[in-house]
Amino acid sequence: YFFAATDPAHGVEPWVYDGLTAARVADLVPGPDSSIVAAFPDYFVPFFEAFGSEALFTATDGVFGTELWRTDGTEAGTVRVSDIAPGPASIHLPIFWGGIVSLLGGRPVVVEHQATTGERLWRLSASGATMELVEVLDSQTSSFERVGTDRLSLFEAERGRDCFQGVGSRLFFERRRADEQEIDLYRTDGAISPPEELFHALPWSDARACGSQDDLLLYPRALGLPPGGDTELVAIHALSGATETLLAGGLELWSQPPFLDLGDHQVFGSEFDLYATDGTSAGTAFLASEVGASRIDRFLGEIAAAGDALWITDALEPTGARLLLAGDNVSLYVAPELAPLGPTLVFLVWDEAHGG
């Protein structure tokens, strides 16, 4: 587990936790200055994105600006892999960076933004030594307002839609059309060639995010504009593009993560219900109702679901959900996450008498 931490002697630097102890990986800017910074007025947003046993993250070494680095948890295995903004200038990532990092063919892909180039899609090279340009997504855009007519649809707080998902050797992503209420869905193999359009001029919806199961993209396809517009869940084969409807309607993805990976199937939540799917219509099943889960995680072979209350339900069978904690004056803090630790589930809760 990779994260950023600080101490008075070294500033904010990359750290790693192996399940027993935590240790600083490297002091990229020697001394008390920090290598990992988050200067939000300039949108320098740090992150750690795991791939295999390594992670991609943003940092500066004091010579080059904030750029992409990779680490295997050792000082020798921590290296800079980009100089996208040449020299002391820094890479710019949208604040909601979690929606613009994925994997394509097992290699990380990232969307970044420069005032002179607009948004561009980059992938870690096969050698792992540098980032290679896959595509210029919007050369017209000169600021984070993204005013171009051909742009990547990223997660934005007031819109809530986000699909940027690697499935095997293909990456799926959305672009907003000139009409703000329409979205196109594309896929690319990472080659320097035009991406393939799969869905054209779909209505915008607040169904949130997509996921994957094996070689399938799990995609909430809007059938009409909100309010009142319905959404169905479809599975799209990464290579053939063949589409199968898993849920015919009534879907609004609500949980975080949107799809919880349990190996041979995914669990996901709408505003009030939980479902499981193996990527086929026959293997898509209802699990529990009236749960209202904004956060889900696996716990002792079952699913813990937290929203205004804490529930436990079977991960495969529709046996209903057991209520563990609720009350008129109790609220769960689920923004960080539920944290299963062996036979114990750790979470944050608030009540009027005790606070958080």
Side-chain angles (χ1 to χ4, degrees):
Y1 177 73
F2 297 96
F3 62 99
T6 183
D7 63 50
H10 301 92
V12 182
E13 297 289 345
W15 285 61
V16 63
Y17 176 65
D18 63 6
L20 295 175
T21 60
R24 187 175 55 256
V25 175
D27 189 14
L28 300 180
V29 178
D33 291 336
S34 298
S35 69
I36 297 179
V37 296
F40 282 94
D42 294 323
Y43 298 94
F44 300 166
V45 183
F47 67 92
F48 289 84
E49 179 70 16
F51 65 102
S53 61
E54 299 186 50
L56 198 69
F57 68 102
T58 54
T60 177
D61 59 7
V63 178
F64 292 87
T66 297
E67 291 286 345
L68 292 166
W69 292 63
R70 64 180 297 179
T71 181
D72 61 3
T74 69
E75 183 172 7
T78 301
V79 295
R80 180 175 53 83
V81 293
S82 76
D83 187 21
I84 292 172
S90 292
I91 190 174
H92 288 176
L93 300 175
I95 283 183
F96 296 103
W97 58 264
I100 48 81
V101 181
S102 190
L103 295 177
L104 176 57
R107 290 187 268 155
V109 286
V110 175
V111 174
E112 60 80 35
H113 175 277
Q114 299 295 318
T116 57
T117 60
E119 291 170 340
R120 297 181 293 180
L121 178 65
W122 298 79
R123 179 173 64 173
L124 188 66
S125 65
S127 68
T130 187
M131 301 296 292
E132 59 186 17
L133 181 64
V134 176
E135 187 195 4
V136 176
L137 298 168
D138 181 7
S139 58
Q140 303 172 6
T141 301
S142 59
S143 74
F144 271 87
E145 295 173 353
R146 291 194 283 277
V147 295
T149 59
D150 185 24
R151 59 199 181 180
L152 185 73
S153 170
L154 303 176
F155 179 87
E156 294 171 287
E158 74 277 11
R159 292 174 179 156
R161 185 61 189 265
D162 171 24
C163 184
F164 188 83
Q165 182 72 40
V167 184
S169 61
R170 297 294 185 271
L171 175 72
F172 292 81
F173 62 92
E174 294 169 329
R175 278 176 167 169
R176 289 192 183 276
R177 298 175 58 78
D179 182 345
E180 285 292 321
Q181 299 298 306
E182 293 181 340
I183 284 175
D184 298 332
L185 178 68
Y186 288 84
R187 67 177 174 180
T188 178
D189 60 2
I192 308 299
S193 59
E196 176 186 3
E197 183 181 82
L198 296 178
F199 293 149
H200 178 73
L202 290 177
W204 172 89
S205 81
D206 195 27
R208 295 208 173 179
C210 55
S212 65
Q213 176 65 36
D214 299 326
D215 53 1
L216 299 170
L217 176 76
L218 304 178
Y219 184 71
R221 179 168 61 181
L223 303 176
L225 288 171
D230 204 356
T231 302
E232 64 180 0
L233 182 66
V234 299
I236 305 171
H237 194 276
L239 296 180
S240 70
T243 300
E244 180 183 14
T245 300
L246 306 184
L247 286 178
L251 176 69
E252 182 179 2
L253 294 177
W254 193 258
S255 62
Q256 289 295 325
F259 293 91
L260 179 63
D261 187 1
L262 298 183
D264 60 354
H265 68 287
Q266 307 284 320
V267 171
F268 60 96
S270 65
E271 186 173 3
F272 299 108
D273 302 317
L274 285 178
Y275 298 87
T277 184
D278 63 2
T280 67
S281 58
T284 301
F286 167 81
L287 292 181
S289 64
E290 302 302 321
V291 172
S294 57
R295 179 69 62 169
I296 56 177
D297 210 329
R298 190 169 191 171
F299 179 52
L300 298 179
E302 297 188 287
I303 299 298
D308 294 330
L310 181 63
W311 303 81
I312 295 289
T313 187
D314 191 279
L316 287 173
E317 299 296 333
T319 56
R322 306 192 305 277
L323 179 63
L324 298 187
L325 177 66
D328 292 338
N329 298 316
V330 173
S331 298
L332 269 72
Y333 286 142
V334 296
E337 62 184 41
L338 297 168
L341 296 175
T344 302
L345 182 68
V346 179
F347 57 95
L348 294 176
V349 69
W350 176 94
D351 65 43
E352 289 185 351
H354 302 93

